[in-house]
Amino acid sequence: SQTTVSLVLNNPETPNIPDETRQRVMASVAELGYRPNALAQGLRMKRSGVFGFITDSIAISPHAGKIFEGAQDIAWENDKILILVNTKTDPLMEASAVDILLGRRVEGIIYATMYHRAVTIPAALRELPMVLLDCFVEDQQIPSVVPDEFGGGYTAVKFLLEKGHRRIGFINSGDDIPASSGRFEGYKVALEEYGIPFDPELVGRTERHTDNGYPCARALMQIKNRPTALFCFNDRTAMGAYDAIRQLNLKIPNDVAVVGFDNQEIISANLYPALTTIELPHYQMGVWAVQKLVDILSSNGQVEPIQYKMPCPIIVRDSA
């Protein structure tokens, strides 16, 4: 009967259906290639099994793609699928994406950005359970996961200090963002712990909206008491520093050690010598965000507005 089939498919633990009957139903399902209507089941159970994943440009970035990989892996483990929308930072596209996802009855939203920054969330999204990935809201009332920028900067400089370096230059970003301020604070605290006075002459900034470390590195390597090591804001900055160091007929790491940030493997692992760098934990942040959303849903929407800073480990190669 239709009722028996429904019970077998929707309530597999129903005790009053004989095993023989259950096996006959499943054999017929396999023979017919039948698939239950997941949308109808979701509406009945008030669970669609789908999360929305809204991002500005992560989906088209080879650098940050591991965010989505981690999110997808943990979603799959929890019997969820993700609908990914890449808005290209276009407000109209984002508004349209929000309407579509709400129309699809997604259970919750992962809202992710390409780099660590403050965001303004569309009002309509606040109707749903939500987790922020690589971003945060100023009132900190939505759970978020971001890289530990301070810890990453501290780890990089402490590594160089433990190698015996005492004149450590820092090529920072020219943009006023959490990454530049956090990594700079980590740099200064590590020096302070080793009793080394902060020297502003050893700090340079790239031009705004660029990662060109060449001019800063060249200038730092030509001061009277030049640094023996450089900590670079990211791996692209370090790539420019490599060019400057070589043009001055200096060798890495014999004359100057270099440490980057990001572990953008297409750069860091293929520079010569291979770049020691701090890893942005993209995969782990993707896992954390989806697992947090799953936890929120399993607790009937009880939201703890945790602002988690994901540790950034050092990847030791040959440049330092």
Side-chain angles (χ1 to χ4, degrees), residues 22 35 43 71 98 114 117 123 211 218 229 262 270 312 318-319:
R22 192 184 307 277
R35 290 184 177 86
L43 290 173
V98 169
M114 182 64 189
R117 60 187 175 93
D211 295 311
R218 189 173 178 88
D262 285 355
N270 292 294
C312 301
D318 302 324
S319 66

Side-chain angles (χ1 to χ4, degrees), residues 38-39 41-43 45-52 75-76 78-83 104-108 290 293-294 297:
L39 180 59
Q41 287 181 331
L43 290 173
M45 301 170 64
K46 298 184 179 179
R47 284 283 186 267
S48 65
V50 179
F51 291 165
W76 192 255
N78 286 276
D79 298 321
K80 308 292 182 184
I81 62 171
L82 302 178
I83 296 180
R104 294 280 180 175
R105 303 292 181 93
V106 296
E107 294 182 37
V290 172
L293 190 54
V294 169
L297 290 167

Side-chain angles (χ1 to χ4, degrees), residues 4-308:
T4 299
V5 172
S6 178
L7 285 170
V8 170
L9 294 181
N10 296 309
N11 301 282
E13 304 302 323
T14 302
N16 58 344
I17 296 179
D19 286 342
E20 182 184 353
T21 303
R22 192 184 307 277
Q23 290 170 11
R24 288 170 58 202
V25 170
M26 297 311 297
S28 297
V29 165
E31 182 180 348
L32 296 170
Y34 172 76
R35 290 184 177 86
N37 187 324
L39 180 59
Q41 287 181 331
L43 290 173
R44 184 172 64 253
M45 301 170 64
K46 298 184 179 179
R47 284 283 186 267
S48 65
V50 179
F51 291 165
F53 193 106
I54 300 177
T55 172
D56 48 10
S57 57
I58 288 172
I60 57 175
S61 165
H63 172 40
K66 286 187 177 180
I67 284 180
F68 188 69
E69 182 183 352
Q72 183 172 259
D73 284 351
I74 195 67
W76 192 255
E77 285 183 19
N78 286 276
D79 298 321
K80 308 292 182 184
I81 62 171
L82 302 178
I83 296 180
L84 172 65
V85 181
N86 201 71
T87 67
K88 302 179 182 179
T89 66
D90 182 336
L92 292 178
M93 188 179 293
E94 181 176 85
S96 178
V98 169
D99 286 342
I100 291 171
L101 291 173
L102 293 176
R104 294 280 180 175
R105 303 292 181 93
V106 296
E107 294 182 37
I109 295 287
I110 305 294
Y111 190 97
T113 55
M114 182 64 189
Y115 66 91
H116 182 182
R117 60 187 175 93
V119 292
T120 301
I121 300 298
L125 283 183
R126 290 184 178 260
E127 301 173 12
L128 290 174
M130 180 169 34
V131 176
L132 306 180
L133 203 171
D134 212 7
C135 56
F136 62 96
V137 288
E138 294 290 358
D139 65 10
Q140 298 190 344
Q141 291 305 299
I142 301 174
S144 72
V145 57
V146 298
D148 183 358
E149 310 286 7
F150 170 87
Y154 174 86
T155 298
V157 178
K158 185 178 180 182
F159 174 81
L160 291 168
L161 289 164
E162 289 175 345
K163 289 280 188 176
H165 296 283
R166 294 298 179 265
R167 295 281 291 172
I168 301 173
F170 179 33
I171 303 177
N172 201 1
S173 169
D175 297 312
D176 184 16
I177 52 178
S180 58
S181 58
R183 295 171 197 181
F184 184 41
E185 286 304 309
Y187 166 81
K188 290 191 293 184
V189 168
L191 293 176
E192 183 180 358
E193 285 189 3
Y194 273 72
I196 299 172
F198 169 68
D199 184 352
E201 188 180 26
L202 292 176
V203 178
R205 281 184 175 269
T206 62
E207 294 182 9
R208 291 194 66 195
H209 310 306
T210 73
D211 295 311
N212 186 4
Y214 176 87
C216 287
R218 189 173 178 88
L220 286 171
M221 298 312 296
Q222 290 180 302
I223 64 178
K224 185 175 181 180
N225 186 12
R226 68 169 178 80
T228 62
L230 292 178
F231 170 40
C232 300
F233 174 76
N234 61 25
D235 295 347
R236 293 186 298 278
T237 303
M239 184 165 58
Y242 268 49
D243 290 340
I245 290 165
R246 287 186 174 125
Q247 283 195 7
L248 294 169
N249 295 316
L250 298 171
K251 292 186 177 180
I252 303 168
N254 296 348
D255 298 315
V256 56
V258 180
V259 174
F261 206 114
D262 285 355
N263 194 30
Q264 199 167 346
E265 290 188 16
I266 195 170
I267 296 174
S268 58
N270 292 294
L271 286 173
Y272 183 79
L275 179 65
T276 293
T277 187
I278 302 296
E279 182 172 61
L280 277 177
H282 286 136
Y283 182 90
Q284 293 83 354
M285 289 195 297
V287 168
W288 190 97
V290 172
Q291 186 60 59
K292 178 57 63 177
L293 190 54
V294 169
D295 293 345
I296 290 170
L297 290 167
S298 65
S299 63
N300 296 318
Q302 295 296 315
V303 179
E304 178 188 0
I306 183 173
Q307 310 293 304
Y308 184 66

